[in-house]
Amino acid sequence: MKYLVLSASPNFDGLTEACAEAAATGIREAGHQAEAVRLNDLSVGMCEACGNGWGTCLNNQRCQVEDDFQGLHLKAVEADGLVLVTPVYWGEMSESAKAFTDRIRRCEASSTKDSRLAGKPVLAVAAAGGSGGGMITCLQSMERWIQHVRARTFDLIPVNRWSRAYKLEAIHAAAHTMAENKF
Ligand SMILES: Cc1cc2nc3c(=O)[nH]c(=O)nc-3n(C[C@H](O)[C@H](O)[C@H](O)COP(=O)(O)O)c2cc1C
């Protein structure tokens, strides 16, 4: 099985990357493939709300804004499951996580086509490194996104600076269990 591990921080060695690494290791130790992608290394712009609010996303499941989103969208559709790790910014997902999730939601949550993410397990992680606040509001919006694209919430894990050590273990275990696909 093939899993896509998305992380959404500009930092290469922070909490977000540590969480993504723990998840990828858990998947690989379960004997499956994990492709790690740092959203901030790609060019994924914002949804432009084309037309009257819907563009080609509605009927063609394809975003008409041409950038790195197209390739990433395909990888997500082809994956057996997803891990999404975002730093908590103002109690929400980071901008790169938001840009990606907004655009893929429009393509996969429209009422005219079946979602190609339907039923796929998603492990969502919100990493709060500052006050430690805002993890739950961030996870709420990640959960809403999972529901909109009709994927399956495997787990929602909040982590902050103080819980880092034991939450990294939990993320590793969650990803390992998700990849084993025995739930
Ligand atoms: C614009 C901005 C807003 C932030 N808002 C919050 C917040 O609401 N709560 C919190 O605990 N940390 C907040 N932080 C801190 C980040 O969550 C923290 O840096 C996070 O762990 C990301 O770290 P990393 O990039 O090293 O992974 C914020 C950081 C930035 C840059």
Side-chain angles (χ1 to χ4, degrees), residues 115-132:
S115 170
R116 291 166 296 173
L117 300 180
K120 291 185 198 283
V122 179
L123 170 60
V125 178
S131 64

Side-chain angles (χ1 to χ4, degrees), residues 1 3 26-28 30 32 174-183:
M1 306 272 263
Y3 293 85
I27 292 165
R28 290 176 190 137
H32 299 279
H176 191 284
T177 307
M178 182 170 86
E180 283 180 320
N181 199 25
K182 290 184 189 149
F183 46 89

Side-chain angles (χ1 to χ4, degrees), residues 9 11 14-16 87-91 127-133:
S9 168
N11 297 319
L15 184 58
T16 305
V88 175
Y89 285 177
W90 313 112
S131 64

Side-chain angles (χ1 to χ4, degrees), residues 8-19 38 85-92 94-95 126-135 137-138 159-162 164:
S9 168
N11 297 319
F12 288 90
D13 57 357
L15 184 58
T16 305
E17 280 311 302
C19 294
R38 286 175 38 86
V85 188
T86 180
V88 175
Y89 285 177
W90 313 112
E92 296 171 15
S94 71
E95 289 78 1
S131 64
M135 295 180 290
T137 48
C138 182
V159 50
N160 61 25
R161 289 183 284 132
W162 315 288
R164 175 184 176 126

